[in-house]
Amino acid sequence: MYQRQLEAIESTAKLAIVKRSKSSCHQKGETRSPTSLRSRGSEYCKRQEKEQDIDQDDKELIMKLSEMYQQQLAEIKKQEREEGEQKGLARERRAMIESILQVRFGELDSELTTIIDQVIAMTREEFTPLLLQLSRQELLAKFTK
Protein backbone atom coordinates (compact mmCIF):
# COMPACT_ATOMS: atom_id res chain seq x y z
CA MET A 1 0.00 0.00 0.00
CA TYR A 2 2.74 2.45 0.96
CA GLN A 3 4.75 1.53 -2.11
CA ARG A 4 1.80 2.52 -4.30
CA GLN A 5 1.58 5.90 -2.57
CA LEU A 6 5.27 6.57 -3.21
CA GLU A 7 4.93 5.49 -6.83
CA ALA A 8 1.96 7.84 -7.28
CA ILE A 9 3.98 10.77 -5.91
CA GLU A 10 6.92 9.95 -8.17
CA SER A 11 4.75 9.63 -11.28
CA THR A 12 3.01 12.94 -10.46
CA ALA A 13 6.39 14.63 -10.21
CA LYS A 14 7.58 13.16 -13.50
CA LEU A 15 4.34 14.10 -15.25
CA ALA A 16 4.56 17.70 -14.03
CA ILE A 17 8.14 18.01 -15.27
CA VAL A 18 7.27 16.49 -18.66
CA LYS A 19 4.32 18.87 -19.08
CA ARG A 20 6.51 21.83 -18.23
CA SER A 21 9.25 20.78 -20.61
CA LYS A 22 6.74 20.27 -23.45
CA SER A 23 5.44 23.78 -22.96
CA SER A 24 8.90 25.17 -23.60
CA CYS A 25 9.17 27.31 -26.72
CA HIS A 26 12.49 25.77 -27.62
CA GLN A 27 12.11 22.75 -29.86
CA LYS A 28 15.17 20.99 -31.17
CA GLY A 29 15.40 20.48 -34.89
CA GLU A 30 13.37 23.62 -35.58
CA THR A 31 13.98 25.04 -39.05
CA ARG A 32 13.99 28.79 -39.52
CA SER A 33 13.34 30.84 -42.57
CA PRO A 34 16.15 33.19 -43.42
CA THR A 35 15.57 36.36 -41.44
CA SER A 36 17.85 39.02 -40.20
CA LEU A 37 20.46 38.09 -37.61
CA ARG A 38 19.00 40.65 -35.26
CA SER A 39 15.60 38.96 -35.41
CA ARG A 40 17.12 35.54 -34.82
CA GLY A 41 19.22 36.85 -31.96
CA SER A 42 16.16 38.42 -30.36
CA GLU A 43 14.16 35.19 -30.71
CA TYR A 44 17.05 33.22 -29.31
CA CYS A 45 17.33 35.52 -26.27
CA LYS A 46 13.59 35.29 -25.62
CA ARG A 47 13.72 31.52 -25.90
CA GLN A 48 16.70 31.35 -23.56
CA GLU A 49 14.90 33.52 -20.99
CA LYS A 50 11.82 31.29 -21.17
CA GLU A 51 13.96 28.19 -20.78
CA GLN A 52 15.68 29.70 -17.77
CA ASP A 53 12.30 30.57 -16.28
CA ILE A 54 11.10 27.03 -16.95
CA ASP A 55 14.31 25.60 -15.51
CA GLN A 56 13.82 27.70 -12.38
CA ASP A 57 10.15 26.64 -12.21
CA ASP A 58 11.22 23.01 -12.62
CA LYS A 59 13.74 23.38 -9.83
CA GLU A 60 11.13 24.90 -7.54
CA LEU A 61 8.65 22.17 -8.46
CA ILE A 62 11.24 19.47 -7.84
CA MET A 63 12.07 20.99 -4.46
CA LYS A 64 8.40 21.11 -3.47
CA LEU A 65 7.78 17.57 -4.68
CA SER A 66 10.96 16.41 -2.98
CA GLU A 67 9.77 17.88 0.32
CA MET A 68 6.37 16.25 -0.14
CA TYR A 69 8.05 12.97 -1.02
CA GLN A 70 10.29 13.12 2.04
CA GLN A 71 7.34 13.94 4.31
CA GLN A 72 5.29 11.10 2.83
CA LEU A 73 8.25 8.74 3.12
CA ALA A 74 8.75 9.70 6.79
CA GLU A 75 5.04 9.13 7.49
CA ILE A 76 5.13 5.75 5.79
CA LYS A 77 8.21 4.72 7.75
CA LYS A 78 6.50 5.80 10.97
CA GLN A 79 3.39 3.78 10.11
CA GLU A 80 5.46 0.74 9.18
CA ARG A 81 7.42 1.01 12.43
CA GLU A 82 4.19 1.23 14.45
CA GLU A 83 2.72 -1.74 12.59
CA GLY A 84 5.92 -3.69 13.19
CA GLU A 85 5.76 -2.88 16.88
CA GLN A 86 2.13 -4.02 17.04
CA LYS A 87 2.96 -7.27 15.26
CA GLY A 88 5.90 -7.81 17.61
CA LEU A 89 3.72 -7.24 20.65
CA ALA A 90 1.10 -9.64 19.30
CA ARG A 91 3.76 -12.33 18.72
CA GLU A 92 5.12 -11.75 22.21
CA ARG A 93 1.65 -11.97 23.74
CA ARG A 94 0.92 -15.17 21.79
CA ALA A 95 4.21 -16.70 22.95
CA MET A 96 3.45 -15.79 26.56
CA ILE A 97 -0.04 -17.31 26.42
CA GLU A 98 1.25 -20.45 24.72
CA SER A 99 3.98 -20.73 27.35
CA ILE A 100 1.53 -20.44 30.25
CA LEU A 101 -0.76 -23.04 28.68
CA GLN A 102 2.18 -25.40 28.06
CA VAL A 103 3.42 -25.08 31.65
CA ARG A 104 -0.06 -25.72 33.03
CA PHE A 105 -1.33 -28.40 30.65
CA GLY A 106 1.67 -29.86 28.83
CA GLU A 107 1.85 -29.88 25.05
CA LEU A 108 -0.71 -27.70 23.29
CA ASP A 109 -3.31 -29.71 21.45
CA SER A 110 -5.76 -28.46 18.83
CA GLU A 111 -8.43 -27.62 21.42
CA LEU A 112 -6.14 -25.33 23.42
CA THR A 113 -4.71 -23.82 20.24
CA THR A 114 -8.20 -22.75 19.13
CA ILE A 115 -8.72 -20.54 22.20
CA ILE A 116 -5.41 -18.65 21.92
CA ASP A 117 -6.70 -15.97 19.51
CA GLN A 118 -9.63 -15.24 21.81
CA VAL A 119 -7.33 -14.98 24.81
CA ILE A 120 -4.98 -12.64 22.90
CA ALA A 121 -7.90 -10.26 22.33
CA MET A 122 -8.28 -9.82 26.09
CA THR A 123 -6.21 -7.51 28.24
CA ARG A 124 -3.36 -8.99 30.23
CA GLU A 125 -5.23 -8.24 33.44
CA GLU A 126 -8.22 -10.24 32.16
CA PHE A 127 -6.48 -13.30 30.75
CA THR A 128 -3.73 -13.85 33.32
CA PRO A 129 -6.01 -14.96 36.18
CA LEU A 130 -8.07 -17.10 33.81
CA LEU A 131 -5.03 -18.93 32.47
CA LEU A 132 -3.57 -19.44 35.93
CA GLN A 133 -6.72 -20.38 37.84
CA LEU A 134 -9.15 -22.16 35.53
CA SER A 135 -8.82 -25.83 34.71
CA ARG A 136 -8.38 -27.03 31.15
CA GLN A 137 -12.07 -27.95 30.90
CA GLU A 138 -13.16 -24.60 32.35
CA LEU A 139 -10.97 -22.69 29.88
CA LEU A 140 -12.28 -24.67 26.93
CA ALA A 141 -15.87 -24.23 28.11
CA LYS A 142 -15.42 -20.47 28.55
CA PHE A 143 -13.92 -19.89 25.09
CA THR A 144 -15.67 -22.49 22.93
CA LYS A 145 -19.25 -21.41 23.55
Side-chain angles (χ1 to χ4, degrees):
M1 179 173 98
Y2 303 121
Q3 185 66 27
R4 283 190 220 131
Q5 290 175 343
L6 289 175
E7 289 170 0
I9 291 171
E10 287 175 355
S11 65
T12 302
K14 288 177 185 175
L15 181 62
I17 291 169
V18 167
K19 283 182 180 178
R20 284 183 176 267
S21 66
K22 284 184 179 178
S23 70
S24 171
C25 291
H26 180 65
Q27 297 175 352
K28 294 185 178 172
E30 172 181 87
T31 59
R32 296 186 184 130
S33 62
T35 58
S36 72
L37 289 175
R38 195 176 300 160
S39 172
R40 281 195 216 170
S42 175
E43 288 174 24
Y44 179 76
C45 288
K46 287 178 185 177
R47 206 171 301 132
Q48 287 291 72
E49 288 175 7
K50 287 181 181 180
E51 285 178 12
Q52 287 174 354
D53 288 344
I54 289 172
D55 288 345
Q56 184 60 35
D57 289 346
D58 285 347
K59 288 177 185 176
E60 290 173 12
L61 176 64
I62 289 169
M63 291 302 292
K64 287 177 185 176
L65 291 173
S66 177
E67 290 173 21
M68 290 171 44
Y69 179 78
Q70 292 299 326
Q71 290 171 351
Q72 188 72 23
L73 187 61
E75 181 63 30
I76 289 169
K77 285 181 180 180
K78 180 182 174 187
Q79 289 174 350
E80 287 176 343
R81 184 174 46 252
E82 289 172 357
E83 288 175 5
E85 288 173 1
Q86 291 300 319
K87 288 178 182 177
L89 290 173
R91 278 194 301 268
E92 184 178 322
R93 180 172 279 210
R94 175 177 284 282
M96 180 177 64
I97 291 169
E98 288 174 351
S99 178
I100 292 171
L101 290 173
Q102 285 175 342
V103 168
R104 291 227 35 233
F105 307 116
E107 191 166 332
L108 294 179
D109 60 11
S110 61
E111 288 181 313
L112 286 173
T113 304
T114 60
I115 70 167
I116 291 175
D117 287 330
Q118 296 172 51
V119 175
I120 289 173
M122 302 171 76
T123 66
R124 186 184 49 178
E125 292 77 16
E126 293 173 326
F127 74 71
T128 303
L130 295 176
L131 295 180
L132 295 177
Q133 295 171 0
L134 296 180
S135 69
R136 175 187 166 84
Q137 288 75 24
E138 291 170 323
L139 276 172
L140 291 173
K142 179 167 182 63
F143 291 105
T144 56
K145 292 180 181 178

